[in-house]
Amino acid sequence: MRQSLTALHRWAALTTGIVLLCTALSGASLVFEGAIDRGLNPGLWTASPGGTPLPIDTLVARVHATYPSSSVGSVGLSDVPDRAWTFAAGALTIFVNPHTGGINGARTPQQSQATLARRLHVFHVELFAGRVGRTVVGAATAVALFLLLTGIVLWWPDKLMRIHTGASWKRINFDLHHALGIVAALFLVIITASGLVIHYQALANAVKSLDRSTVAPLPKQSPEPADAPPLSFDAAAVAARAALPGAVITAISLGGPTNPATVAMRFSEDRTPGGRSRVYVDHYTGRVLAAVSTRDAHLGTRLDNLKRSLHTGDVLGRPTEAVWFVAALILAEQIISGVLMWWNGRRGRRRA
């Protein structure tokens, strides 16, 4: 039984090794996805802090003055004092200093897709191969979870943890594979399992089915009243803060004639960058149509909300980001050391 499991573990790893190595290394980089883009493009993202940010509608007016042919449909806010806010105006993403109203610059969709951070993300998810690449990555992630679980089973009888530093490089490689693999196993199981839930909608639906009741459908926008002015960004923000006090606004989308305004919000315990709480505001009257709070969510929705932060390491902030980064590098090391173990053992297997 153990011999068969070892062979299955070995050949599953060799079959998917290249894909797992690519996803592990790109995943380690993506722990710092936002920081990479901000570090490479400080002119766009940096905003000199200067007290309370200007009203959102004032900033929107500045954007319209600079780009008169583009209408602002949504705004991305940040609670970091020295970070620019983003304004989606037509096809452009415009970076604005919220304290001064100064325009840092703009990106076209092509420029956004060409950034290093975005290209790393696409490579990690689909290997630049579209739907086929996405399928391959999903299957390889499932194999990775299998390798982790079988690796724990194979490690358990001998419980090898010591690294013989004075031995041959082959023995050191063997020891590193076992010791580092078991040290990172729990974290890598979390990373791969959450990645599968993100990748396969059926798994996400199964998680959500743990809720005690079904999720209410999204509210619909009421018909346009006669001579009703459209909702302003500041009015939507005021309504959202009143509906979910204590939550920070991360983005506002004004919707349109048939869709209510959507305000994305984040409570302090919610580590996802965009937040999982939502407030839906009537596009004309400013009345709150619905408020969805992560603090009121049932078990299935809470677990589903955690999948991204568990996968990326955001779950507890900087400490878990550091641990996830090291764990992803260890996964890459496991692939390399495993291939070396297979290569070094060829002669012995032929004799056997």
Side-chain angles (χ1 to χ4, degrees):
M1 177 65 180
R2 180 180 173 85
Q3 186 175 4
S4 299
L5 189 60
T6 300
L8 191 58
H9 180 88
R10 177 191 305 125
W11 286 108
L14 290 172
T15 303
T16 59
I18 294 297
V19 176
L20 290 179
L21 185 64
C22 292
T23 54
L25 293 176
S26 58
S29 302
L30 288 174
V31 171
F32 312 106
E33 182 177 1
I36 289 174
D37 192 39
R38 293 190 296 271
L40 293 176
N41 301 280
L44 292 177
W45 285 104
T46 302
S48 54
T52 305
L54 295 172
I56 303 175
D57 293 324
T58 300
L59 300 175
V60 169
R62 301 282 179 90
V63 172
H64 286 162
T66 306
Y67 300 90
S69 61
S70 300
S71 177
V72 174
S74 63
V75 178
L77 288 71
S78 174
D79 56 355
V80 179
D82 61 350
R83 188 171 301 168
W85 293 3
T86 57
F87 290 69
L92 296 176
T93 300
I94 300 168
F95 299 79
V96 181
N97 186 328
H99 307 287
T100 65
I103 307 297
N104 290 353
R107 274 180 179 165
T108 64
Q110 294 76 17
Q111 290 171 330
S112 297
Q113 291 296 321
T115 62
L116 176 61
R118 181 59 187 169
R119 291 179 70 81
L120 281 172
H121 186 97
V122 173
F123 180 72
H124 180 73
V125 172
E126 57 187 43
L127 303 174
F128 299 142
R131 182 177 297 179
V132 173
R134 187 179 292 267
T135 301
V136 170
V137 170
T141 304
V143 173
L145 182 58
F146 169 80
L147 292 173
L148 291 164
L149 297 177
T150 55
I152 294 172
V153 172
L154 293 172
W155 172 87
W156 188 259
D158 301 323
K159 299 180 179 63
L160 298 175
M161 287 293 292
R162 182 182 175 186
I163 299 175
H164 298 80
T165 55
S168 67
W169 74 268
K170 295 181 180 180
R171 176 65 196 210
I172 294 175
N173 179 72
F174 179 87
D175 291 343
L176 285 173
H177 186 81
H178 289 78
L180 292 180
I182 200 63
V183 167
L186 174 61
F187 307 111
L188 290 174
V189 165
I190 293 173
I191 292 171
T192 52
S194 58
L196 288 173
V197 175
I198 292 172
H199 183 84
Y200 293 106
Q201 187 59 44
L203 293 177
N205 292 338
V207 171
K208 291 179 182 178
S209 68
L210 298 174
D211 285 348
R212 294 192 302 271
S213 60
T214 58
V215 178
L218 296 179
K220 295 183 179 180
Q221 173 63 50
S222 59
E224 180 180 359
D227 301 326
L231 185 71
S232 71
F233 282 96
D234 285 316
V238 170
R241 292 189 180 104
L244 293 181
V248 174
I249 296 175
T250 60
I252 303 174
S253 175
L254 285 187
T258 59
N259 299 312
T262 303
V263 183
M265 305 187 76
R266 183 183 66 235
F267 286 101
S268 57
E269 68 273 12
D270 183 357
R271 295 292 181 173
T272 53
R276 297 291 187 179
S277 299
R278 296 289 184 271
V279 175
Y280 300 93
V281 184
D282 190 286
H283 187 67
Y284 301 105
T285 67
R287 181 174 61 89
V288 173
L289 301 176
V292 180
S293 170
T294 53
R295 292 180 173 177
D296 299 330
H298 296 166
L299 175 62
T301 300
R302 286 179 180 269
L303 292 176
D304 187 66
N305 289 341
L306 274 174
K307 64 186 178 185
R308 186 196 182 281
S309 55
L310 283 175
H311 188 67
T312 61
D314 294 330
V315 60
L316 294 177
R318 294 292 177 84
T320 47
E321 286 178 352
V323 172
W324 262 232
F325 173 73
V326 174
L329 293 181
I330 290 177
L331 177 58
E333 181 277 334
Q334 292 290 284
I335 300 301
I336 296 171
S337 61
V339 170
L340 291 175
M341 286 168 57
W342 167 77
W343 185 265
N344 294 332
R346 290 179 307 148
R347 181 176 300 178
R349 287 193 297 275
R350 282 199 297 265
R351 289 175 180 173

